[in-house]
Amino acid sequence: MDRSVQKITDNVSLIASADTWIEGLAIEQLIKTSNLPDMHYVAGMPDLHPGRGYPIGAAFFTQNKIYPALVGNDIGCGMSLWQTSAKVSKVNLEKLVKKLAYVEQPLDESWSALIASRKAEKGINIHSYDRALGTIGGGNHFAEFQAIERIYDHTAFDTLGLNKKHLQLLVHSGSRGLGQSILVEHVTNYNHHGLTVDDKSFHGYMTQHDEAVRWAELNRELIALRFLDAINANGNYVLDINHNLVSAKNIEGKTGWLHRKGATPSDKGYVVIPGSRGDYSYLVKPLITDETTAQSHVTSLFSLAHGAGRKWKRGECHGRLGHKYKREDLYRTSLGSRVVCGNKELLYDEAPQAYKKCETVIQDMIDAGLITVVAKLRPVLTFKTNGECSS
């Protein structure tokens, strides 16, 4: 554990070995955030990188107060894994690309009954953003068909009902413009100040927050279903985990609020840690049995990395890569997978070279005693967006 857990200050930990590259600004943001009022513990993950004022890839534990700005604008963002009925051996990449030509358009009327039913089941009353349901959005969001490259834990793999012969579908998206509107409303009224738990505004935000989380979960479900429909396949839901949210939590006898910004829960079961579109993803099992005694999970605030972690800022990737790679070069990866992305800047911003190797992030969490690896997943086709990005 000591090899990949760094104690930065009395209340700041970093789950990363000394050999793992972390941008200095991200560490500065981590320390600065730890000094907010009522902030007790802060934990950076091995995919930590700078954000707009606050670091991404981190968890924050407060008492008596929450900070909506730490959750950010994409409330409920997370990963959803589905196993498809499509056989890996039958995949024709050219045909697969063509089948996805219109998959990012708003869902048509044929989906209305299902949407209404699922919203009612999940207790979602919001209607103003429903046009965005079933759409991925921009940034690092994606839907990716994957093949099981290697199984490390056959028992866990079988427990999840997975089959190596079948194509998997990993969806990464969140609450789209809904989460953005909630954050903008909060910042307009309260700037970046937190909300105390006995304040009426606290309950107002949490009500909006919780509904946005449910909306984001439904969004991922609809994305998965429409991608399955597009390739004429069925699918089985495997898991869905949010990594942008705030929730009540008791840590070392303290009752408080755990904020996660790009940090995957380690106390919700199996999770997928994705690599870049040209790297492997990993299905992992958190090593947690008893919250009161699992010190490694207390140190990490019961959180894990949510991906490989950026090396380069968005906006500078085209300049770094444009002289080496033509646009057409980025539609194929070194692993033999294809990329569907109609936005030129996004194609460069999300290039594999802009991210760290996911294997390094995984190894840091293994060394910290946080996870074991169940399986390694290879990208087959990554869908980003077919047009201009929007939130």
Side-chain angles (χ1 to χ4, degrees):
M1 175 178 171
D2 292 340
R3 288 191 297 133
S4 60
V5 177
Q6 301 179 49
K7 197 69 174 174
I8 307 299
T9 70
D10 287 343
N11 67 336
V12 178
S13 298
L14 177 62
I15 311 301
S17 72
D19 297 328
T20 299
W21 182 82
I22 304 286
E23 189 172 339
L25 177 58
I27 302 294
E28 291 176 17
Q29 290 182 342
L30 202 65
I31 295 172
K32 183 178 179 180
T33 306
S34 73
N35 293 321
L36 291 172
D38 291 305
M39 184 68 68
H40 284 256
Y41 304 119
V42 171
M45 303 299 118
D47 60 334
L48 184 76
H49 57 280
R52 295 177 180 176
Y54 307 103
I56 301 168
F60 316 90
F61 182 66
T62 60
Q63 284 190 290
N64 306 314
K65 203 169 198 177
I66 62 167
Y67 289 93
L70 292 183
V71 176
N73 65 329
D74 200 6
I75 302 166
C77 187
M79 303 282 175
S80 180
L81 180 67
W82 291 65
Q83 178 165 264
T84 83
S85 61
K87 298 290 184 65
V88 175
S89 61
K90 302 292 185 180
V91 169
N92 181 312
L93 280 175
E94 296 303 323
K95 289 183 178 179
L96 203 58
V97 170
K98 290 179 181 178
K99 287 180 178 180
L100 301 176
Y102 303 103
V103 78
E104 184 69 349
Q105 299 299 316
L107 293 170
D108 61 31
E109 290 299 316
S110 66
W111 292 84
S112 297
L114 175 62
I115 291 172
S117 173
R118 293 296 290 129
K119 284 180 65 178
E121 291 171 4
K122 294 179 73 68
I124 299 172
N125 298 310
I126 296 168
H127 296 284
S128 53
Y129 289 90
D130 282 2
R131 183 173 170 79
L133 279 170
T135 62
I136 297 167
N140 62 352
H141 295 161
F142 63 82
E144 184 171 273
F145 288 107
Q146 302 176 330
I148 305 294
E149 180 76 3
R150 182 177 176 184
I151 303 170
Y152 298 90
D153 185 339
H154 286 271
T155 300
F157 188 83
D158 293 341
T159 297
L160 289 169
L162 295 172
N163 188 323
K164 189 176 181 179
K165 294 181 180 180
H166 288 259
L167 205 61
Q168 312 298 315
L169 173 60
L170 183 66
V171 176
H172 175 206
S173 191
S175 54
R176 308 287 271 110
L178 172 58
Q180 172 74 10
S181 69
I182 294 171
L183 180 65
V184 168
E185 179 185 344
H186 168 77
V187 172
T188 300
N189 293 327
Y190 304 99
N191 204 334
H192 284 244
H193 304 302
L195 301 172
T196 56
V197 296
D198 56 356
D199 192 339
K200 182 180 179 181
S201 57
F202 168 90
H203 299 288
Y205 172 80
M206 287 305 301
T207 297
Q208 291 180 303
H209 166 281
D210 292 348
E211 190 163 12
V213 169
R214 298 192 297 273
W215 193 99
E217 292 168 349
L218 177 58
N219 186 40
R220 288 191 292 275
E221 177 184 333
L222 292 169
I223 291 169
L225 291 174
R226 76 179 310 180
F227 269 74
L228 290 166
D229 182 65
I231 68 168
N232 302 312
N234 298 316
N236 295 321
Y237 163 88
V238 179
L239 61 87
D240 185 273
I241 299 290
N242 302 294
H243 55 234
N244 281 11
L245 73 168
V246 57
S247 51
K249 187 72 173 175
N250 187 291
I251 296 180
E252 292 192 314
K254 297 183 178 71
T255 299
W257 296 89
L258 181 55
H259 306 63
R260 292 182 172 105
K261 174 64 172 174
T264 302
S266 67
D267 52 359
K268 301 295 182 182
Y270 295 92
V271 302
V272 175
I273 311 295
S276 68
R277 67 185 186 223
D279 195 5
Y280 297 102
S281 297
Y282 294 82
L283 173 62
V284 306
K285 178 182 179 181
L287 288 176
I288 182 167
T289 55
D290 184 347
E291 291 190 6
T292 62
T293 60
Q295 185 56 48
S296 59
H297 286 271
V298 171
T299 301
S300 65
L301 294 179
F302 300 93
S303 300
L304 305 169
H306 79 309
R310 294 193 69 89
K311 289 191 303 184
W312 302 340
K313 294 182 178 68
R314 291 188 176 88
E316 66 180 37
C317 299
H318 194 181
R320 287 175 175 265
L321 299 172
H323 65 289
K324 289 183 179 181
Y325 303 98
K326 296 179 181 178
R327 184 173 180 174
E328 293 73 21
D329 298 332
L330 298 179
Y331 291 121
R332 289 172 172 79
T333 76
S334 61
L335 294 178
S337 62
R338 290 289 299 272
V339 176
V340 176
C341 180
N343 183 286
K344 182 179 179 180
E345 287 306 309
L346 187 65
L347 187 65
Y348 281 93
D349 284 349
E350 293 297 306
Q353 295 87 342
Y355 285 84
K356 294 188 285 189
K357 293 291 291 182
C358 194
E359 183 180 10
T360 302
V361 170
I362 295 296
Q363 191 60 53
D364 279 344
M365 291 187 290
I366 292 173
D367 291 343
L370 298 176
I371 62 168
T372 59
V373 178
V374 176
K376 182 163 70 172
L377 308 168
R378 173 174 51 83
V380 173
L381 183 146
T382 308
F383 187 100
K384 298 295 292 186
T385 180
N386 248 346
E388 294 303 310
C389 302
S390 63
S391 58

